[in-house]
Amino acid sequence: MTQPAAKSPNPLSLKERMKVPRQPMPEQPPLLRVANFKEVNLGYSEDFARQEALRCLECAKAACVNDCPVGVKVKEFVQLIVAGNFMEAAAKIREDNVLPAITGRVCPQEDHCEGGCLMGKKVTPLGIGYLERFVADYEQRYMDPRNIKRASPSGKKVAIVGSGPSGLTAAGDLVQKGHEVHVFEALHELGGVLVYGIPEFRLPKQIIREQIDYMRAMGVQFETNVVVGKTVTISELMEEEGFDAVFIGTGAGSPLFMGIPGEHWNGVYSANEFLTRINLMHAYEFPKYDEPMLDFRGKDVAVIGGGNTALDAIRSALRLGAGKAYVIYRRSEAEMPARKEEVKHAKQEGIEFRVLTNPIEFLSDGKGWLSGVRCVRMELGEPDASGRRRPVPIEGSEFEVPLSVAVIAVGTSANPLIQSTTPGLATNKKNYIEADPMTQRTSRRGVFAGGDIVTGSATVILAMGAGRRAAKSIHEYLTAGTW
Amino acid sequence: MYKILHAEFIAPGIKRFVIDAPRIARKQQPGQFVILRVYEEGERIPLTIEKSDPERGTINIVVQSIGKTTNLLNSLESGDGIRDIVGPLGRPSEIGKFGTVVVMGGGVGTAMAYPSAAALKRAGNRVITILGARSKDLVILEREMREVSDALMVTTDDGTYADKGFVTDKLRQLVENGTRIDLVLAVGPIPMMRAVADITRKENIRTMVSLNPIMIDGTGMCGGCRVLIDGKSEFACVDGPEFDAHRIDFAVLVQRNSMYRVAEQKSMGDFQLERESLLEKVHAEQAECALQGGGR
């Protein structure tokens, strides 16, 4: 362990810091929150934030910074919190992360900054995500949008395809270099998966709108209702609309179904559809909003899958009034890809986890509506390609769970809209776009890609990392003019 | 906001809109559709494009009042705006020189079949068109269809115009007369398309129909519009909307379209009670949007 830097504003000794407990995140109590779609986490107060910030050991070799896909200068912004300079702390985060209020809420910190935190090796890691969220919310409350600086124009135009995390990050970084940035979004609302995928109780729409307004103030231009590949092609953007470079950040796209009998019964949803109805279309507010939703009150619901999307879906179902709510997952809880905090929250809310269980058939009531799911119990065998132990069905262990609604959240596959309309754009055998992992360059001059459309489903922060690398390399390309 | 440049009823409950949507107009091909949202709290619904004018930057859609959204839409006039329109979506109709093509339009489906009929005619096919409607005043686009057809027949269910009966009666007659048919394109209500498929399956005549299942995004993202084709799921929004009628599981299509019937009836009931205040709200939203520069 290293000594704190001489200029540290932290009055506590390293020993004293270890004794300060991690400040808990204030949250809506489970019984209350399952009846509403409001945010579960309520955010730190100033006192909580300053107290938590005191715990930072200010390591010379800060693992938190290295482990952050966008390289947020954690130690520096935390020191600014200790000093009470919250606006400066926000500016420090913004040097590397244009969406701090979002990452502060949805990042799997345990896999990145907090995972490497030295405090975590001894006691509990520093609440970096909570602190980031606090600073971002503080900034939103007190900032004056007139103070947002605009860079002097470079004369170059960049098109960003998709307004999800990778696109917004690339847009934010590029506009700060003076490039004219236009973001094209297929849906009517900006934010991509942040809007259609992540529910209000985890990431309120208002937060996304504020972050996007901030980007507008930085000079980013947005156009909704443009499906690139249909409304306009990449070639047309470059040849007819004068864009010097294009970044493709369209996300993973198409929902995977399981290919088991009965997936077409009424009541069986893809997670994408179920969440889009709720989040983008506000179906949970029917009839105030017109998009309809089935009546969930008292009905038994299951989600199939163990990722964040699965938990978002089942927790939404609970808030629609579901009776029993199950997570059905074929591996064990240890292999679940969901954020730990979401698993904890889901359990507090009374969601039942049926792990080592795999659906083999959806059953119907004979009138076209789902009545249940037949499952088989699984056990873990040898590790598979992902390094996780492969689940193997246990013969003769079939059983049925009565259900009214099932939501399938077993992943996504590449949406081919852009690949099939962009000549010269190389793809891999799963039809994801080939892009250099460092420069995000594709096989086509001037075209860059990043996020889920390159890697397959991942996380918000990994997509943002790709957007950031792409912005850097787009800037280099536009400045040097060589490919 | 997408401005309505012209709106007129072409039949009772059926309205044609000419809308300013230059990006869509430039790219539209026969068989493709748009998804629109009338106002902020509105749902997204798919509607086939009747035709477009790339020079003027306009698209035409023909809308039949059925539920809340279509009734609200049909309450809008020229000068009003539509909050969101995205497109053109879906694969275009397959246009080629097939020989003799029978184009069948049932009710408002005629507006959707029209651009394909015109393109098939231009491609050098002999086009036989069969139009059907419940009664005389619901027969639409007869003149336009006649212009692009080598022969045109009309049926009405109640016999108030042309021949009493169904479009399928005419198709059966053609088949029985030994007319060589290379392709049938049918667009209309599901029972009509299903009946057409039953006739042509026996004769081994290739038959395409345009499906209109429940959709949200229209880009292949949500999977809500999945239809069973040869027992496998395909997405109508990106793999369709036109499919080989002989491969479609129509029973599942009907079942899935009924999923929200209860909610749809409630919406429609509310609409009838609140029509005026809802229209006021929509107009207020349009005014606000115009103040902000009418941005998209």
Side-chain angles (χ1 to χ4, degrees), chain A residues 193 196-197 252-257 269-280 309 313 407-413, chain B residues 216-217 220-224 235:
Chain A
V193 72
Y196 74 74
S254 304
L256 283 177
F257 288 89
Y269 287 97
S270 76
N272 278 10
E273 184 194 352
F274 180 67
L275 289 170
T276 300
R277 278 185 182 277
I278 291 174
N279 300 331
L280 177 72
T309 305
V407 180
I408 302 174
V410 296
T412 52
S413 64
Chain B
I216 308 180
D217 64 294
M221 183 272 281
C222 87
F235 296 169

PDB file of all heavy atoms in Angstrom, chain A residues 193 196-197 252-257 269-280 309 313 407-413, chain B residues 216-217 220-224 235:
ATOM      1  N   VAL A 193     -30.778   1.398 -26.200  1.00  0.00           N
ATOM      2  CA  VAL A 193     -31.124   0.406 -25.174  1.00  0.00           C
ATOM      3  C   VAL A 193     -31.369   1.055 -23.814  1.00  0.00           C
ATOM      4  O   VAL A 193     -32.108   0.544 -22.991  1.00  0.00           O
ATOM      5  CB  VAL A 193     -30.024  -0.680 -25.088  1.00  0.00           C
ATOM      6  CG1 VAL A 193     -28.751  -0.115 -24.452  1.00  0.00           C
ATOM      7  CG2 VAL A 193     -30.506  -1.892 -24.311  1.00  0.00           C
ATOM      8  N   TYR A 196     -35.190   1.843 -24.394  1.00  0.00           N
ATOM      9  CA  TYR A 196     -36.141   0.750 -24.614  1.00  0.00           C
ATOM     10  C   TYR A 196     -35.848  -0.453 -23.724  1.00  0.00           C
ATOM     11  O   TYR A 196     -36.723  -1.272 -23.467  1.00  0.00           O
ATOM     12  CB  TYR A 196     -36.228   0.359 -26.097  1.00  0.00           C
ATOM     13  CG  TYR A 196     -35.051  -0.428 -26.654  1.00  0.00           C
ATOM     14  CD1 TYR A 196     -34.873  -1.773 -26.338  1.00  0.00           C
ATOM     15  CD2 TYR A 196     -34.142   0.150 -27.522  1.00  0.00           C
ATOM     16  CE1 TYR A 196     -33.804  -2.494 -26.849  1.00  0.00           C
ATOM     17  CE2 TYR A 196     -33.070  -0.566 -28.042  1.00  0.00           C
ATOM     18  CZ  TYR A 196     -32.912  -1.883 -27.701  1.00  0.00           C
ATOM     19  OH  TYR A 196     -31.861  -2.593 -28.198  1.00  0.00           O
ATOM     20  N   GLY A 197     -34.606  -0.565 -23.249  1.00  0.00           N
ATOM     21  CA  GLY A 197     -34.222  -1.778 -22.543  1.00  0.00           C
ATOM     22  C   GLY A 197     -34.228  -1.663 -21.026  1.00  0.00           C
ATOM     23  O   GLY A 197     -34.649  -2.578 -20.337  1.00  0.00           O
ATOM     24  N   ALA A 252     -27.055  -4.847 -30.381  1.00  0.00           N
ATOM     25  CA  ALA A 252     -27.089  -6.268 -30.730  1.00  0.00           C
ATOM     26  C   ALA A 252     -28.282  -6.627 -31.581  1.00  0.00           C
ATOM     27  O   ALA A 252     -28.207  -7.460 -32.461  1.00  0.00           O
ATOM     28  CB  ALA A 252     -27.094  -7.110 -29.468  1.00  0.00           C
ATOM     29  N   GLY A 253     -29.403  -6.006 -31.328  1.00  0.00           N
ATOM     30  CA  GLY A 253     -30.523  -6.164 -32.237  1.00  0.00           C
ATOM     31  C   GLY A 253     -31.530  -7.242 -31.984  1.00  0.00           C
ATOM     32  O   GLY A 253     -32.375  -7.098 -31.124  1.00  0.00           O
ATOM     33  N   SER A 254     -31.461  -8.315 -32.758  1.00  0.00           N
ATOM     34  CA  SER A 254     -32.596  -9.242 -32.830  1.00  0.00           C
ATOM     35  C   SER A 254     -32.658 -10.189 -31.640  1.00  0.00           C
ATOM     36  O   SER A 254     -31.648 -10.773 -31.251  1.00  0.00           O
ATOM     37  CB  SER A 254     -32.495 -10.072 -34.104  1.00  0.00           C
ATOM     38  OG  SER A 254     -32.415  -9.227 -35.211  1.00  0.00           O
ATOM     39  N   PRO A 255     -33.845 -10.379 -31.075  1.00  0.00           N
ATOM     40  CA  PRO A 255     -33.972 -11.279 -29.936  1.00  0.00           C
ATOM     41  C   PRO A 255     -33.812 -12.733 -30.356  1.00  0.00           C
ATOM     42  O   PRO A 255     -34.287 -13.135 -31.412  1.00  0.00           O
ATOM     43  CB  PRO A 255     -35.394 -11.024 -29.438  1.00  0.00           C
ATOM     44  CG  PRO A 255     -36.143 -10.544 -30.637  1.00  0.00           C
ATOM     45  CD  PRO A 255     -35.144  -9.799 -31.475  1.00  0.00           C
ATOM     46  N   LEU A 256     -33.138 -13.517 -29.534  1.00  0.00           N
ATOM     47  CA  LEU A 256     -33.049 -14.952 -29.783  1.00  0.00           C
ATOM     48  C   LEU A 256     -34.232 -15.638 -29.109  1.00  0.00           C
ATOM     49  O   LEU A 256     -34.603 -15.283 -27.991  1.00  0.00           O
ATOM     50  CB  LEU A 256     -31.767 -15.522 -29.178  1.00  0.00           C
ATOM     51  CG  LEU A 256     -30.462 -15.266 -29.922  1.00  0.00           C
ATOM     52  CD1 LEU A 256     -29.296 -15.842 -29.110  1.00  0.00           C
ATOM     53  CD2 LEU A 256     -30.496 -15.901 -31.309  1.00  0.00           C
ATOM     54  N   PHE A 257     -34.828 -16.582 -29.804  1.00  0.00           N
ATOM     55  CA  PHE A 257     -35.821 -17.434 -29.161  1.00  0.00           C
ATOM     56  C   PHE A 257     -35.132 -18.754 -28.875  1.00  0.00           C
ATOM     57  O   PHE A 257     -33.979 -18.967 -29.255  1.00  0.00           O
ATOM     58  CB  PHE A 257     -37.060 -17.566 -30.053  1.00  0.00           C
ATOM     59  CG  PHE A 257     -37.869 -16.290 -30.095  1.00  0.00           C
ATOM     60  CD1 PHE A 257     -37.602 -15.303 -31.028  1.00  0.00           C
ATOM     61  CD2 PHE A 257     -38.864 -16.065 -29.162  1.00  0.00           C
ATOM     62  CE1 PHE A 257     -38.319 -14.112 -31.042  1.00  0.00           C
ATOM     63  CE2 PHE A 257     -39.581 -14.884 -29.167  1.00  0.00           C
ATOM     64  CZ  PHE A 257     -39.317 -13.908 -30.112  1.00  0.00           C
ATOM     65  N   TYR A 269     -43.309 -13.731 -24.587  1.00  0.00           N
ATOM     66  CA  TYR A 269     -42.663 -12.531 -25.133  1.00  0.00           C
ATOM     67  C   TYR A 269     -41.170 -12.742 -25.279  1.00  0.00           C
ATOM     68  O   TYR A 269     -40.566 -13.483 -24.497  1.00  0.00           O
ATOM     69  CB  TYR A 269     -42.795 -11.374 -24.142  1.00  0.00           C
ATOM     70  CG  TYR A 269     -44.148 -10.745 -24.007  1.00  0.00           C
ATOM     71  CD1 TYR A 269     -45.006 -11.126 -22.980  1.00  0.00           C
ATOM     72  CD2 TYR A 269     -44.544  -9.725 -24.856  1.00  0.00           C
ATOM     73  CE1 TYR A 269     -46.229 -10.506 -22.818  1.00  0.00           C
ATOM     74  CE2 TYR A 269     -45.762  -9.107 -24.698  1.00  0.00           C
ATOM     75  CZ  TYR A 269     -46.610  -9.493 -23.688  1.00  0.00           C
ATOM     76  OH  TYR A 269     -47.806  -8.885 -23.535  1.00  0.00           O
ATOM     77  N   SER A 270     -40.565 -12.002 -26.200  1.00  0.00           N
ATOM     78  CA  SER A 270     -39.119 -11.810 -26.108  1.00  0.00           C
ATOM     79  C   SER A 270     -38.915 -10.708 -25.074  1.00  0.00           C
ATOM     80  O   SER A 270     -39.792  -9.855 -24.888  1.00  0.00           O
ATOM     81  CB  SER A 270     -38.542 -11.360 -27.448  1.00  0.00           C
ATOM     82  OG  SER A 270     -38.831  -9.993 -27.674  1.00  0.00           O
ATOM     83  N   ALA A 271     -37.758 -10.727 -24.403  1.00  0.00           N
ATOM     84  CA  ALA A 271     -37.487  -9.667 -23.427  1.00  0.00           C
ATOM     85  C   ALA A 271     -37.482  -8.309 -24.124  1.00  0.00           C
ATOM     86  O   ALA A 271     -37.954  -7.319 -23.576  1.00  0.00           O
ATOM     87  CB  ALA A 271     -36.148  -9.922 -22.742  1.00  0.00           C
ATOM     88  N   ASN A 272     -36.948  -8.281 -25.361  1.00  0.00           N
ATOM     89  CA  ASN A 272     -36.921  -7.008 -26.094  1.00  0.00           C
ATOM     90  C   ASN A 272     -38.320  -6.440 -26.271  1.00  0.00           C
ATOM     91  O   ASN A 272     -38.545  -5.249 -26.076  1.00  0.00           O
ATOM     92  CB  ASN A 272     -36.273  -7.193 -27.469  1.00  0.00           C
ATOM     93  CG  ASN A 272     -34.755  -7.164 -27.414  1.00  0.00           C
ATOM     94  OD1 ASN A 272     -34.168  -7.183 -26.338  1.00  0.00           O
ATOM     95  ND2 ASN A 272     -34.136  -7.109 -28.576  1.00  0.00           N
ATOM     96  N   GLU A 273     -39.271  -7.296 -26.656  1.00  0.00           N
ATOM     97  CA  GLU A 273     -40.621  -6.778 -26.859  1.00  0.00           C
ATOM     98  C   GLU A 273     -41.250  -6.354 -25.534  1.00  0.00           C
ATOM     99  O   GLU A 273     -41.814  -5.263 -25.411  1.00  0.00           O
ATOM    100  CB  GLU A 273     -41.536  -7.809 -27.537  1.00  0.00           C
ATOM    101  CG  GLU A 273     -42.914  -7.180 -27.804  1.00  0.00           C
ATOM    102  CD  GLU A 273     -44.027  -8.156 -28.160  1.00  0.00           C
ATOM    103  OE1 GLU A 273     -43.760  -9.348 -28.365  1.00  0.00           O
ATOM    104  OE2 GLU A 273     -45.184  -7.691 -28.234  1.00  0.00           O
ATOM    105  N   PHE A 274     -41.129  -7.226 -24.538  1.00  0.00           N
ATOM    106  CA  PHE A 274     -41.750  -6.940 -23.248  1.00  0.00           C
ATOM    107  C   PHE A 274     -41.214  -5.626 -22.674  1.00  0.00           C
ATOM    108  O   PHE A 274     -41.975  -4.751 -22.261  1.00  0.00           O
ATOM    109  CB  PHE A 274     -41.473  -8.114 -22.302  1.00  0.00           C
ATOM    110  CG  PHE A 274     -42.061  -7.964 -20.939  1.00  0.00           C
ATOM    111  CD1 PHE A 274     -43.430  -7.971 -20.756  1.00  0.00           C
ATOM    112  CD2 PHE A 274     -41.237  -7.811 -19.830  1.00  0.00           C
ATOM    113  CE1 PHE A 274     -43.976  -7.838 -19.487  1.00  0.00           C
ATOM    114  CE2 PHE A 274     -41.770  -7.684 -18.562  1.00  0.00           C
ATOM    115  CZ  PHE A 274     -43.139  -7.688 -18.388  1.00  0.00           C
ATOM    116  N   LEU A 275     -39.875  -5.487 -22.700  1.00  0.00           N
ATOM    117  CA  LEU A 275     -39.278  -4.276 -22.126  1.00  0.00           C
ATOM    118  C   LEU A 275     -39.550  -3.042 -22.992  1.00  0.00           C
ATOM    119  O   LEU A 275     -39.751  -1.955 -22.462  1.00  0.00           O
ATOM    120  CB  LEU A 275     -37.773  -4.480 -21.916  1.00  0.00           C
ATOM    121  CG  LEU A 275     -37.426  -5.446 -20.782  1.00  0.00           C
ATOM    122  CD1 LEU A 275     -35.945  -5.793 -20.792  1.00  0.00           C
ATOM    123  CD2 LEU A 275     -37.821  -4.858 -19.421  1.00  0.00           C
ATOM    124  N   THR A 276     -39.579  -3.221 -24.310  1.00  0.00           N
ATOM    125  CA  THR A 276     -39.860  -2.074 -25.177  1.00  0.00           C
ATOM    126  C   THR A 276     -41.271  -1.561 -24.948  1.00  0.00           C
ATOM    127  O   THR A 276     -41.512  -0.355 -24.885  1.00  0.00           O
ATOM    128  CB  THR A 276     -39.662  -2.457 -26.658  1.00  0.00           C
ATOM    129  OG1 THR A 276     -38.317  -2.876 -26.832  1.00  0.00           O
ATOM    130  CG2 THR A 276     -39.925  -1.271 -27.576  1.00  0.00           C
ATOM    131  N   ARG A 277     -42.219  -2.488 -24.809  1.00  0.00           N
ATOM    132  CA  ARG A 277     -43.588  -2.063 -24.509  1.00  0.00           C
ATOM    133  C   ARG A 277     -43.635  -1.229 -23.237  1.00  0.00           C
ATOM    134  O   ARG A 277     -44.273  -0.186 -23.174  1.00  0.00           O
ATOM    135  CB  ARG A 277     -44.501  -3.282 -24.283  1.00  0.00           C
ATOM    136  CG  ARG A 277     -45.003  -3.883 -25.535  1.00  0.00           C
ATOM    137  CD  ARG A 277     -45.989  -5.014 -25.304  1.00  0.00           C
ATOM    138  NE  ARG A 277     -46.324  -5.507 -26.621  1.00  0.00           N
ATOM    139  CZ  ARG A 277     -47.246  -4.972 -27.414  1.00  0.00           C
ATOM    140  NH1 ARG A 277     -47.996  -3.993 -26.987  1.00  0.00           N
ATOM    141  NH2 ARG A 277     -47.442  -5.427 -28.623  1.00  0.00           N
ATOM    142  N   ILE A 278     -42.925  -1.723 -22.213  1.00  0.00           N
ATOM    143  CA  ILE A 278     -42.980  -1.044 -20.922  1.00  0.00           C
ATOM    144  C   ILE A 278     -42.181   0.254 -20.949  1.00  0.00           C
ATOM    145  O   ILE A 278     -42.678   1.316 -20.567  1.00  0.00           O
ATOM    146  CB  ILE A 278     -42.457  -1.980 -19.820  1.00  0.00           C
ATOM    147  CG1 ILE A 278     -43.456  -3.122 -19.636  1.00  0.00           C
ATOM    148  CG2 ILE A 278     -42.243  -1.226 -18.517  1.00  0.00           C
ATOM    149  CD1 ILE A 278     -42.998  -4.183 -18.688  1.00  0.00           C
ATOM    150  N   ASN A 279     -40.943   0.172 -21.408  1.00  0.00           N
ATOM    151  CA  ASN A 279     -40.035   1.309 -21.259  1.00  0.00           C
ATOM    152  C   ASN A 279     -40.251   2.378 -22.323  1.00  0.00           C
ATOM    153  O   ASN A 279     -40.496   3.533 -22.010  1.00  0.00           O
ATOM    154  CB  ASN A 279     -38.587   0.838 -21.317  1.00  0.00           C
ATOM    155  CG  ASN A 279     -38.276  -0.163 -20.224  1.00  0.00           C
ATOM    156  OD1 ASN A 279     -38.887  -0.132 -19.164  1.00  0.00           O
ATOM    157  ND2 ASN A 279     -37.351  -1.055 -20.483  1.00  0.00           N
ATOM    158  N   LEU A 280     -40.151   1.988 -23.576  1.00  0.00           N
ATOM    159  CA  LEU A 280     -40.276   2.978 -24.657  1.00  0.00           C
ATOM    160  C   LEU A 280     -41.718   3.430 -24.801  1.00  0.00           C
ATOM    161  O   LEU A 280     -41.995   4.612 -24.983  1.00  0.00           O
ATOM    162  CB  LEU A 280     -39.796   2.363 -25.975  1.00  0.00           C
ATOM    163  CG  LEU A 280     -39.936   3.256 -27.205  1.00  0.00           C
ATOM    164  CD1 LEU A 280     -38.917   4.389 -27.176  1.00  0.00           C
ATOM    165  CD2 LEU A 280     -39.786   2.457 -28.499  1.00  0.00           C
ATOM    166  N   THR A 309     -30.984  -8.165 -18.399  1.00  0.00           N
ATOM    167  CA  THR A 309     -32.240  -8.027 -19.128  1.00  0.00           C
ATOM    168  C   THR A 309     -33.317  -8.902 -18.496  1.00  0.00           C
ATOM    169  O   THR A 309     -34.460  -8.482 -18.337  1.00  0.00           O
ATOM    170  CB  THR A 309     -32.021  -8.433 -20.601  1.00  0.00           C
ATOM    171  OG1 THR A 309     -30.953  -7.645 -21.109  1.00  0.00           O
ATOM    172  CG2 THR A 309     -33.253  -8.213 -21.429  1.00  0.00           C
ATOM    173  N   ALA A 313     -36.753  -7.580 -16.729  1.00  0.00           N
ATOM    174  CA  ALA A 313     -38.062  -8.033 -17.191  1.00  0.00           C
ATOM    175  C   ALA A 313     -38.897  -8.555 -16.031  1.00  0.00           C
ATOM    176  O   ALA A 313     -40.052  -8.166 -15.857  1.00  0.00           O
ATOM    177  CB  ALA A 313     -37.895  -9.113 -18.268  1.00  0.00           C
ATOM    178  N   VAL A 407     -41.278 -14.663 -20.345  1.00  0.00           N
ATOM    179  CA  VAL A 407     -40.457 -13.702 -21.081  1.00  0.00           C
ATOM    180  C   VAL A 407     -39.119 -14.357 -21.364  1.00  0.00           C
ATOM    181  O   VAL A 407     -38.450 -14.832 -20.439  1.00  0.00           O
ATOM    182  CB  VAL A 407     -40.261 -12.403 -20.266  1.00  0.00           C
ATOM    183  CG1 VAL A 407     -39.412 -11.415 -21.056  1.00  0.00           C
ATOM    184  CG2 VAL A 407     -41.604 -11.789 -19.893  1.00  0.00           C
ATOM    185  N   ILE A 408     -38.746 -14.419 -22.644  1.00  0.00           N
ATOM    186  CA  ILE A 408     -37.516 -15.094 -23.031  1.00  0.00           C
ATOM    187  C   ILE A 408     -36.385 -14.081 -23.116  1.00  0.00           C
ATOM    188  O   ILE A 408     -36.433 -13.146 -23.916  1.00  0.00           O
ATOM    189  CB  ILE A 408     -37.692 -15.818 -24.378  1.00  0.00           C
ATOM    190  CG1 ILE A 408     -38.841 -16.828 -24.262  1.00  0.00           C
ATOM    191  CG2 ILE A 408     -36.396 -16.509 -24.799  1.00  0.00           C
ATOM    192  CD1 ILE A 408     -39.206 -17.499 -25.560  1.00  0.00           C
ATOM    193  N   ALA A 409     -35.387 -14.257 -22.241  1.00  0.00           N
ATOM    194  CA  ALA A 409     -34.261 -13.311 -22.191  1.00  0.00           C
ATOM    195  C   ALA A 409     -32.964 -14.093 -22.268  1.00  0.00           C
ATOM    196  O   ALA A 409     -32.174 -14.104 -21.336  1.00  0.00           O
ATOM    197  CB  ALA A 409     -34.328 -12.491 -20.906  1.00  0.00           C
ATOM    198  N   VAL A 410     -32.786 -14.792 -23.390  1.00  0.00           N
ATOM    199  CA  VAL A 410     -31.608 -15.652 -23.516  1.00  0.00           C
ATOM    200  C   VAL A 410     -30.578 -15.075 -24.472  1.00  0.00           C
ATOM    201  O   VAL A 410     -29.684 -15.780 -24.920  1.00  0.00           O
ATOM    202  CB  VAL A 410     -31.999 -17.084 -23.959  1.00  0.00           C
ATOM    203  CG1 VAL A 410     -32.864 -17.753 -22.905  1.00  0.00           C
ATOM    204  CG2 VAL A 410     -32.726 -17.068 -25.301  1.00  0.00           C
ATOM    205  N   GLY A 411     -30.695 -13.785 -24.779  1.00  0.00           N
ATOM    206  CA  GLY A 411     -29.672 -13.156 -25.597  1.00  0.00           C
ATOM    207  C   GLY A 411     -30.211 -12.658 -26.919  1.00  0.00           C
ATOM    208  O   GLY A 411     -31.415 -12.716 -27.193  1.00  0.00           O
ATOM    209  N   THR A 412     -29.289 -12.153 -27.730  1.00  0.00           N
ATOM    210  CA  THR A 412     -29.676 -11.529 -29.001  1.00  0.00           C
ATOM    211  C   THR A 412     -28.716 -11.989 -30.090  1.00  0.00           C
ATOM    212  O   THR A 412     -27.677 -12.565 -29.807  1.00  0.00           O
ATOM    213  CB  THR A 412     -29.596 -10.001 -28.893  1.00  0.00           C
ATOM    214  OG1 THR A 412     -28.319  -9.638 -28.391  1.00  0.00           O
ATOM    215  CG2 THR A 412     -30.670  -9.443 -27.984  1.00  0.00           C
ATOM    216  N   SER A 413     -29.112 -11.719 -31.329  1.00  0.00           N
ATOM    217  CA  SER A 413     -28.207 -11.988 -32.450  1.00  0.00           C
ATOM    218  C   SER A 413     -28.103 -10.720 -33.276  1.00  0.00           C
ATOM    219  O   SER A 413     -28.887  -9.791 -33.109  1.00  0.00           O
ATOM    220  CB  SER A 413     -28.759 -13.130 -33.303  1.00  0.00           C
ATOM    221  OG  SER A 413     -29.985 -12.742 -33.882  1.00  0.00           O
TER     222      SER A 413
ATOM    223  N   ILE B 216     -43.911  -3.275 -33.051  1.00  0.00           N
ATOM    224  CA  ILE B 216     -43.516  -2.082 -32.288  1.00  0.00           C
ATOM    225  C   ILE B 216     -42.424  -1.315 -33.034  1.00  0.00           C
ATOM    226  O   ILE B 216     -42.681  -0.277 -33.607  1.00  0.00           O
ATOM    227  CB  ILE B 216     -43.068  -2.402 -30.849  1.00  0.00           C
ATOM    228  CG1 ILE B 216     -44.138  -3.243 -30.144  1.00  0.00           C
ATOM    229  CG2 ILE B 216     -42.869  -1.095 -30.077  1.00  0.00           C
ATOM    230  CD1 ILE B 216     -43.782  -3.596 -28.726  1.00  0.00           C
ATOM    231  N   ASP B 217     -41.207  -1.866 -33.063  1.00  0.00           N
ATOM    232  CA  ASP B 217     -40.120  -1.053 -33.630  1.00  0.00           C
ATOM    233  C   ASP B 217     -40.043  -1.144 -35.149  1.00  0.00           C
ATOM    234  O   ASP B 217     -39.656  -0.190 -35.801  1.00  0.00           O
ATOM    235  CB  ASP B 217     -38.783  -1.443 -33.008  1.00  0.00           C
ATOM    236  CG  ASP B 217     -38.411  -2.871 -33.355  1.00  0.00           C
ATOM    237  OD1 ASP B 217     -39.121  -3.783 -32.897  1.00  0.00           O
ATOM    238  OD2 ASP B 217     -37.452  -3.087 -34.108  1.00  0.00           O
ATOM    239  N   GLY B 220     -36.821  -5.319 -36.535  1.00  0.00           N
ATOM    240  CA  GLY B 220     -36.340  -6.656 -36.176  1.00  0.00           C
ATOM    241  C   GLY B 220     -35.824  -6.733 -34.749  1.00  0.00           C
ATOM    242  O   GLY B 220     -35.250  -7.729 -34.348  1.00  0.00           O
ATOM    243  N   MET B 221     -36.040  -5.692 -33.968  1.00  0.00           N
ATOM    244  CA  MET B 221     -35.493  -5.642 -32.614  1.00  0.00           C
ATOM    245  C   MET B 221     -36.376  -6.351 -31.594  1.00  0.00           C
ATOM    246  O   MET B 221     -35.877  -6.966 -30.662  1.00  0.00           O
ATOM    247  CB  MET B 221     -35.240  -4.186 -32.224  1.00  0.00           C
ATOM    248  CG  MET B 221     -34.600  -3.976 -30.876  1.00  0.00           C
ATOM    249  SD  MET B 221     -35.798  -3.869 -29.551  1.00  0.00           S
ATOM    250  CE  MET B 221     -36.386  -2.199 -29.725  1.00  0.00           C
ATOM    251  N   CYS B 222     -37.722  -6.265 -31.735  1.00  0.00           N
ATOM    252  CA  CYS B 222     -38.557  -6.753 -30.629  1.00  0.00           C
ATOM    253  C   CYS B 222     -39.122  -8.154 -30.832  1.00  0.00           C
ATOM    254  O   CYS B 222     -39.393  -8.851 -29.872  1.00  0.00           O
ATOM    255  CB  CYS B 222     -39.663  -5.753 -30.303  1.00  0.00           C
ATOM    256  SG  CYS B 222     -41.176  -5.934 -31.266  1.00  0.00           S
ATOM    257  N   GLY B 223     -39.306  -8.568 -32.072  1.00  0.00           N
ATOM    258  CA  GLY B 223     -39.805  -9.925 -32.294  1.00  0.00           C
ATOM    259  C   GLY B 223     -41.291 -10.099 -32.023  1.00  0.00           C
ATOM    260  O   GLY B 223     -41.807 -11.213 -32.051  1.00  0.00           O
ATOM    261  N   GLY B 224     -42.000  -9.010 -31.776  1.00  0.00           N
ATOM    262  CA  GLY B 224     -43.436  -9.097 -31.499  1.00  0.00           C
ATOM    263  C   GLY B 224     -44.244  -9.520 -32.716  1.00  0.00           C
ATOM    264  O   GLY B 224     -45.313 -10.118 -32.593  1.00  0.00           O
ATOM    265  N   PHE B 235     -39.865 -12.722 -38.754  1.00  0.00           N
ATOM    266  CA  PHE B 235     -40.371 -11.423 -38.329  1.00  0.00           C
ATOM    267  C   PHE B 235     -40.990 -10.713 -39.530  1.00  0.00           C
ATOM    268  O   PHE B 235     -40.313 -10.453 -40.526  1.00  0.00           O
ATOM    269  CB  PHE B 235     -39.243 -10.562 -37.762  1.00  0.00           C
ATOM    270  CG  PHE B 235     -38.615 -11.115 -36.501  1.00  0.00           C
ATOM    271  CD1 PHE B 235     -37.453 -10.568 -35.998  1.00  0.00           C
ATOM    272  CD2 PHE B 235     -39.197 -12.167 -35.811  1.00  0.00           C
ATOM    273  CE1 PHE B 235     -36.871 -11.060 -34.840  1.00  0.00           C
ATOM    274  CE2 PHE B 235     -38.635 -12.677 -34.654  1.00  0.00           C
ATOM    275  CZ  PHE B 235     -37.459 -12.119 -34.172  1.00  0.00           C
TER     276      PHE B 235
END
